[in-house]
Amino acid sequence: MRNLAPRIADLPAPVLDLALAVALTLVEVAVLFAYRDHLHPFGLAVALVATENLPLVWRRSHPMAVFVAIGTARVVYDQLGFGYAPLPLGPAIAVFTVVDLCGRRSRAVLGVLLVAGLFATQRLPGHNEPNDAALAVLVFATAWMAGALNRTRRAYLGTVEDRAERAEEERDRAAVRAATEERTRIARELHDVVAHHVSLIAVQAEAAGSLLPGEPDEANRAVGVIGNTARQALVELRRLLNVLRTAPHTPELAPAPSVRGLDAVMDPVRRAGMQVDFETVGSPFSLAPGIDLTAYRIVQEALTNAMRHAGSSRVTVRLTYQAGSVAVCVADSGPGPVASEVRMRSATTECTTDSPTTPGFGLAGIAERVASCGGTLTFGPTEAGGFHVSARLPTP
């Protein structure tokens, strides 16, 4: 018995309505037999009572029509003056259905018809007792309120489901955005970190090849730089891959790069044979993590581009601390003619200067970082024939 109610509730609505209509008809017709002596003609009474209940089969598909059919049968039954009248359960269910499923206009029509029917019935002989009218009003008022409550409940559930669907869609969109941002961040980190080391390797490999066999000591020094830089690149790659492989609930965190550690970027470049001058203007102060990392990456990327394309022997890195901002400037002393032509072309197209033949994501990545911090970025040739990358980052 405990599992019977859920099974009945899971039945299709037409099946439930058919069972309801048949059950009410059988019960009320059976009750009529107890008052058979007071019902003349008995067959007509049975037919009218059946008409009060059987149309409930279609109450969901045609609620207003069912109410009119059932209500008409009930009014006719009362007008014929039978000695016994069953409770108006069929009409009450029809009222409940119209209030529950129909719009405001249909409910207004229902109210007019219901009042007219009750008035016509209560004026008949035998229905002038106050309790008759009170019982009729109570039955139909209860049915009306139950329909209104069910309609309100259904509307509320619909609103909740709609909100839940919108929330789920927004959560999915947020997850997609987060995944995209994370992929972009990882790609930027891979470019900023690994490309820097690989550029050092490439420069030193070319130097080693040109020094052999005439200058073996210098060639050995270049090969040593290649080995050290390659190991550093592998360490950075393992760190980034470990971030991707680590479970979300057990992350392995490391301090973010900072301008306080710029020597880690400049020293390998110096060992590669390029002179790097570092200047600090103003009184240094602590930077927000995002600003600090952006300034660090700007220097790293600009040095990488200088090694790849400048062909010069000197680069100046300058940090300028001011009230409300920090400025980062990296300028080289000047490339050869071919490198200069490549820089001018890339600076006027896609904001990238990763290789002489193929545009990359270097300056584009810097531009994204600077924009995310609300800063400004400028780059291009200098009056001395070199190339500069300058950014101004706001600070709290």
Side-chain angles (χ1 to χ4, degrees), residues 117-292:
L118 288 174
F119 182 76
T121 300
Q122 295 304 315
R123 292 178 62 253
L124 297 174
H127 293 277
N128 53 2
E129 294 293 333
N131 60 332
D132 289 342
L135 179 61
V137 170
L138 177 63
V139 169
F140 288 109
T142 302
W144 190 292
M145 287 188 294
L149 289 174
N150 199 55
R151 184 180 71 253
T152 302
R153 172 181 171 276
R154 188 172 59 255
Y156 171 76
L157 292 177
T159 301
V160 171
E161 291 175 359
D162 184 60
R163 289 178 180 175
E165 290 177 1
R166 289 201 301 268
E168 185 175 355
E169 292 174 359
E170 180 59 29
R171 187 166 57 250
D172 292 340
R173 286 193 294 267
V176 172
R177 286 196 300 269
T180 302
E181 292 173 359
E182 185 66 11
R183 286 196 297 269
T184 302
R185 185 190 67 80
I186 292 172
R188 198 157 48 210
E189 289 292 315
L190 283 171
H191 178 276
D192 292 343
V193 175
V194 179
H196 176 74
H197 294 304
V198 173
S199 296
L200 283 173
I201 293 172
V203 170
Q204 292 301 307
E206 293 173 357
S210 63
L211 293 172
L212 288 173
E215 300 182 41
D217 293 337
E218 291 296 324
N220 286 333
R221 186 184 67 81
V223 171
V225 173
I226 291 173
N228 291 332
T229 306
R231 284 190 289 272
Q232 292 177 12
L234 287 174
V235 169
E236 294 294 343
L237 275 175
R238 291 192 184 101
R239 181 182 66 82
L240 290 172
L241 292 174
N242 187 55
V243 172
L244 295 177
R245 291 172 177 169
T246 302
H249 58 280
T250 57
E252 295 184 9
L253 303 178
S258 168
V259 292
R260 293 188 297 272
L262 282 177
D263 287 340
V265 176
M266 295 185 292
D267 288 346
V269 178
R270 289 167 176 151
R271 288 195 297 270
M274 181 176 288
Q275 181 179 346
V276 181
D277 299 329
F278 179 59
E279 301 178 9
T280 299
V281 180
S283 300
F285 51 82
S286 297
L287 302 176
I291 301 295
D292 204 359

Side-chain angles (χ1 to χ4, degrees), residues 17 28 51 81 87 99 114 120 130 138 172 186-187 196 222 334 375 383 395:
D17 291 339
E28 293 198 351
T51 308
L87 282 174
V99 175
L114 185 59
L138 177 63
D172 292 340
I186 292 172
H196 176 74
E383 294 180 358
T395 57

